[in-house]
Amino acid sequence: MAAKIEPLLTVADLDACPNDNNRYELIEGELFVSRAPGIPHQRVLLNLIIGLTEYLAHHPIGILVPGVGAVFSDHDAVIPDLVFVRHERWDEVVANDRFVAAPDLVIEIVSQGKENCERDVSVKRQLYGKYGVTEYWIVDSENRSVVMFRLQGRTLEEVATLKADNVMGSLVLPGLDLKVSTVFSV
């Protein structure tokens, strides 16, 4: 008996999904659904936005955007928590109000649950590496840590796991001096 092969979902299929406060993402044609982020997630996001916006006020090298769709192919469309793109790459990376090529930095804040953590650590990391994201940060509120990855070939390799008073540094954001504890302050 032959195996039944399900057709891959496309971005057009994803665009047809109802607006029901869930986040729909496609990775290699597979649909992933997440609930809207909770307050702790959004507090961490706000702290990151504040810290990175302060950095960009002194180093105006690019644009920071939260929660916008990134469509890499007909079968790959995700919604990163936070994205940074250098000014000189903006027109190459953005079209029709979406990211259509690899941003310079993608930040995902892990939502509660083993499945969400696995998706960010493994599945999305592979996706972002495949399409050439230079740097990827996974922010883990439960462990109060930031795991940083940098592109090596087509793979995002871990370069640091930072906690507490460690300072986040970045090749993409030269001169960044943001304490990890600041990200998780209440």
Side-chain angles (χ1 to χ4, degrees):
M1 177 182 218
K4 181 181 177 186
I5 298 174
E6 297 290 328
L8 297 177
L9 293 175
T10 66
V11 172
D13 297 326
L14 188 64
D15 287 341
C17 287
N19 184 0
D20 59 4
N21 292 325
N22 287 319
R23 293 172 66 150
Y24 293 92
E25 297 179 306
L26 277 183
I27 300 175
E28 295 184 355
E30 183 178 348
L31 182 65
F32 292 89
V33 183
S34 302
R35 292 187 183 136
I39 291 173
H41 179 283
Q42 295 304 88
R43 296 284 308 263
V44 168
L45 177 61
L46 179 61
N47 289 341
L48 279 165
I49 290 171
I50 291 168
L52 294 174
T53 299
E54 287 175 2
Y55 163 83
L56 289 170
H58 295 96
H59 303 85
I61 60 172
I63 299 170
L64 186 67
V65 182
V68 173
V71 179
F72 298 121
S73 76
D74 283 341
H75 302 287
D76 294 304
V78 292
I79 307 170
D81 288 310
L82 201 51
V83 171
F84 170 78
V85 177
R86 293 185 324 252
H87 287 301
E88 62 268 18
R89 294 192 64 239
W90 186 260
D91 290 337
E92 164 193 339
V93 174
V94 176
N96 301 321
D97 295 330
R98 291 182 173 171
F99 292 105
V100 294
D104 296 298
L105 169 64
V106 171
I107 302 172
E108 294 282 3
I109 302 164
V110 177
S111 297
Q112 291 183 341
K114 182 180 177 185
E115 184 178 303
N116 291 320
C117 184
E118 176 64 24
R119 184 179 319 142
D120 289 343
V121 171
S122 180
V123 179
K124 283 189 175 180
R125 185 179 81 171
Q126 289 175 15
L127 177 77
Y128 294 142
K130 174 182 175 180
Y131 288 102
V133 171
T134 305
E135 238 175 62
Y136 178 46
W137 300 356
I138 297 175
V139 179
D140 184 343
S141 299
E142 186 174 320
N143 293 311
R144 299 176 71 82
S145 66
V146 177
V147 183
M148 303 177 91
F149 300 87
R150 289 200 185 108
L151 193 62
Q152 302 292 324
R154 291 177 59 110
T155 304
L156 285 161
E157 298 289 340
E158 184 176 337
V159 294
T161 298
L162 306 172
K163 293 186 173 200
D165 286 331
N166 291 145
V167 175
M168 295 189 307
S170 169
L171 293 179
V172 172
L173 304 170
L176 177 67
D177 187 19
L178 182 62
K179 282 188 178 179
V180 172
S181 57
T182 304
V183 172
F184 301 108
S185 66
V186 178

